[in-house]
Amino acid sequence: MEIIATYGHIFLALALIFGLYMTWGIGANDVANAMGTSVGSGAITVKQAIIIAAIFEFAGAFIAGGQVTATIRKGIIDPSSITGSPELLVYGMLAALLAAAIWLMIASARGWPVSTTHTIVGAIVGFAIAGIGMDAVQWGKIGGIVASWLISPLIGGTLALLLMLSVRKLIINTEQPFKQAKKWGPFYVFLVGFIVALVTLFKGLKHLKLEFSMLESFIAATVIGLILAFIGKLMIDRVKVDEDADHDYHYASVEKAFVPMMIFTACAMAFAHGSNDVANGIGPMAAVLSIVGSGGEVAQKANLPIWVLLLGGGGIVVGLATMGYRVMQTIGTKITELTPTRGYCATLAAASTVVLASKTGLPVSTTHIAVGAVMGVGLARGIGALDLRVLGNIVISWIVTLPIGGILAALIFFILKGIFG
C-alpha cells in the first residue's frame, strides 16, 4: 500500500503511456486485420480505410464499448493471493501492456497478423508465473486459446467458402451475372447489417443502459438489416455496365456492383471491432487506474472512464494510419488475390463467426478468423490460389505470440519491481 501511495502518480503516467502505445499497436495490427479485406479487394483505398476506421471505430467504442471491463483478462489469473501486495499487480499490468505493445509493433513491422488478445493474455500469464507462481494461472483457459489456433480459421474459412459458393451459384455462374448481382445485392447487404447488428446487441449496450432479450435483438437486427438493404439497393442501382472493362475481364461489372456492399461491410466491421476490442485492449490500463485510484484495492472489474475510451480510439486510428498498411497488405493481397466479391465473402464470414463465438463461448480470435476466411475464399479456386509460404509464416507468428509476450512481460515485471521495490 505504501508503494502505491508514494509512486501512484508515476504508475498512472506509465499506465497512460504504455496504454497509448498498446492501442497504437492494436490499430497497426488488429484494426488493419479488420480493414485488410476491404483494401485488398480494391473496394476502398488505404486513405478511405483510415477515415472509415476513424469514424466507425470511435462510434463503436463510444456507443457500444461499455463502461466496465474485466481487468484481469479473461479470468486467466487469480489475483486473490496478492491482495496484500497490490503493487505486484500494478507492475504486472504495466509489464503486460508494454510487452504486448512491443510484440504488436514487431509483428506489425513484419506484416504478421497476430491476435491482440493472445498477445495480452501471453503477457499476463508471463507476469503471473514470474510474480505470483504457476498456480495463479488458470491453465484450462490457456488450453482453450491453443485450441482456437485451429478452431478460429476453420469456422471462418468454412463460412467464407460457403458464401463464395453461394455467390458463384446465384450470380457468377449464371447467364446474366450483372443482372443477378443487382437482384441479390440488397440481400447480401441485408446480411451484413443483420449480422453486425446482432454482434453489437448480443454484447449488450450497457454503455447506453440498454438491454435486449434474444427476440428483441433479432427484431432490431432485422430492421437495421432491411434499412441498410434499401440504402444498398439505391447505391447498387447506380452501378452501370462497363462494357470496356467487361471485355478485359468478363465479371468486371459484377465486381463493381459489389463495391457498395464492401463499403457497408468495412463500416460495419470497424464499428463491431470498436465495440468489441477497444475496451479489451485497454483493460490492464483500467486495472492500474482502479488500483491507484482506490489506494490499493484489487478488484476484478473497474469502471472505464470515457476519456480512456477516447484515448484508446485515438491510439488505434494513429496506429492504423502509421503502420497498418503492412498487415493490410498481408491480409488483402499476399495470402490470395481478393476481388470485391471475395473480399465481401471473407469479411461477412468473419463477422458471422464472431456472432457465433459470442453466443457459444467458443475460444476464437478475430484475427485468426479473418485469416481463415481469406483462406476460405481462396480455396474456392483451389489450393494453388493460396500462398502457402505466407500462411506458414503467419501460423508460426501465432504460435510464438504467447511465449514471447510472456517472456517479455516477465522481464519488464522484474525491472519495474527492481526500480520501485
Side-chain angles (χ1 to χ4, degrees):
M1 296 289 182
E2 191 183 329
I3 293 173
I4 299 283
T6 308
Y7 299 110
H9 58 289
I10 296 177
F11 294 147
L12 286 178
L14 289 176
L16 291 180
I17 295 166
F18 294 171
L20 199 57
Y21 185 20
M22 169 70 180
T23 55
W24 175 87
I26 292 173
N29 205 298
D30 220 34
V31 181
N33 289 326
M35 305 304 288
T37 47
S38 308
V39 175
S41 67
I44 59 173
T45 63
V46 172
K47 192 176 175 183
Q48 288 168 330
I50 291 166
I51 294 169
I52 288 173
I55 296 169
F56 287 92
E57 289 274 349
F58 259 131
F62 240 151
I63 295 170
Q67 280 184 306
V68 178
T69 185
T71 57
I72 312 301
R73 291 287 308 135
K74 308 288 184 191
I76 50 173
I77 64 167
D78 176 13
S80 58
S81 59
I82 55 168
T83 48
S85 308
E87 68 276 6
L88 292 182
L89 197 57
V90 172
Y91 302 152
M93 290 301 163
L94 289 175
L97 274 177
L98 186 56
I102 291 171
W103 174 238
L104 283 177
M105 184 185 70
I106 294 169
S108 302
R110 307 281 301 178
W112 294 334
V114 298
S115 166
T116 302
T117 306
H118 291 187
T119 307
I120 195 77
V121 166
I124 291 177
V125 167
F127 127 71
I129 293 172
I132 309 174
M134 294 289 283
D135 294 342
V137 180
Q138 310 283 343
W139 289 104
K141 295 275 184 183
I142 307 302
I145 289 169
V146 172
S148 80
W149 292 339
L150 186 65
I151 294 170
S152 304
L154 196 63
I155 298 176
T158 304
L159 282 178
L161 181 61
L162 292 174
L163 268 170
M164 196 64 229
L165 293 177
S166 83
V167 169
R168 280 191 171 184
K169 182 173 177 56
L170 296 174
I171 297 172
I172 293 176
N173 294 338
T174 60
E175 289 187 2
Q176 293 180 304
F178 183 70
K179 190 178 173 185
Q180 289 295 101
K182 284 198 161 189
K183 177 184 171 184
W184 287 100
F187 168 71
Y188 283 112
V189 174
F190 168 81
L191 282 182
V192 173
F194 177 74
I195 288 171
V196 177
L198 267 191
V199 174
T200 309
L201 294 169
F202 279 170
K203 287 281 180 186
L205 298 172
K206 295 184 182 71
H207 190 59
L208 301 177
K209 301 191 186 310
L210 290 174
E211 291 283 350
F212 294 101
S213 67
M214 178 82 85
L215 180 63
E216 289 167 340
S217 296
F218 269 100
I219 292 172
T222 303
V223 171
I224 292 169
L226 288 173
I227 292 170
L228 286 186
F230 177 70
I231 299 170
K233 181 174 174 19
L234 295 179
M235 292 174 70
I236 294 166
D237 282 349
R238 294 173 63 185
V239 179
K240 304 296 178 194
V241 173
D242 186 339
E243 290 182 357
D244 288 341
D246 281 349
H247 184 71
D248 296 330
Y249 174 55
H250 184 55
Y251 300 108
S253 295
V254 174
E255 295 293 350
K256 281 186 179 177
F258 266 80
V259 169
M261 299 183 220
M262 271 309 298
I263 293 170
F264 278 107
T265 314
C267 296
M269 278 305 291
F271 182 88
H273 185 269
S275 65
N276 290 331
D277 291 350
V278 171
N280 285 344
I282 51 183
M285 181 162 65
V288 176
L289 297 178
S290 168
I291 294 168
V292 174
S294 65
E297 187 183 337
V298 177
Q300 276 284 352
K301 289 193 172 184
N303 284 324
L304 198 59
I306 293 292
W307 64 267
V308 174
L309 274 176
L310 273 174
L311 196 74
I316 60 171
V317 172
V318 174
L320 179 67
T322 53
M323 205 183 269
Y325 66 94
R326 289 180 186 271
V327 174
M328 280 196 272
Q329 259 182 350
T330 303
I331 292 275
T333 62
K334 291 188 176 174
I335 297 173
T336 189
E337 186 189 349
L338 287 181
T339 61
T341 51
R342 296 170 199 155
Y344 166 83
C345 293
T347 314
L348 182 60
S352 307
T353 310
V354 173
V355 175
L356 188 70
S358 70
K359 288 307 290 177
T360 58
L362 281 173
V364 298
S365 150
T366 49
T367 301
H368 298 183
I369 291 168
V371 172
V374 172
M375 283 173 60
V377 295
L379 273 176
R381 293 182 297 137
I383 191 80
L386 298 174
D387 190 327
L388 297 179
R389 188 185 58 81
V390 172
L391 283 171
N393 286 337
I394 290 173
V395 170
I396 290 169
S397 73
W398 290 356
I399 293 171
V400 300
T401 289
L402 273 180
I404 287 182
I407 292 166
L408 272 175
L411 287 173
I412 298 167
F413 172 81
F414 284 124
I415 291 171
L416 289 171
K417 196 178 173 190
I419 293 171
F420 296 104

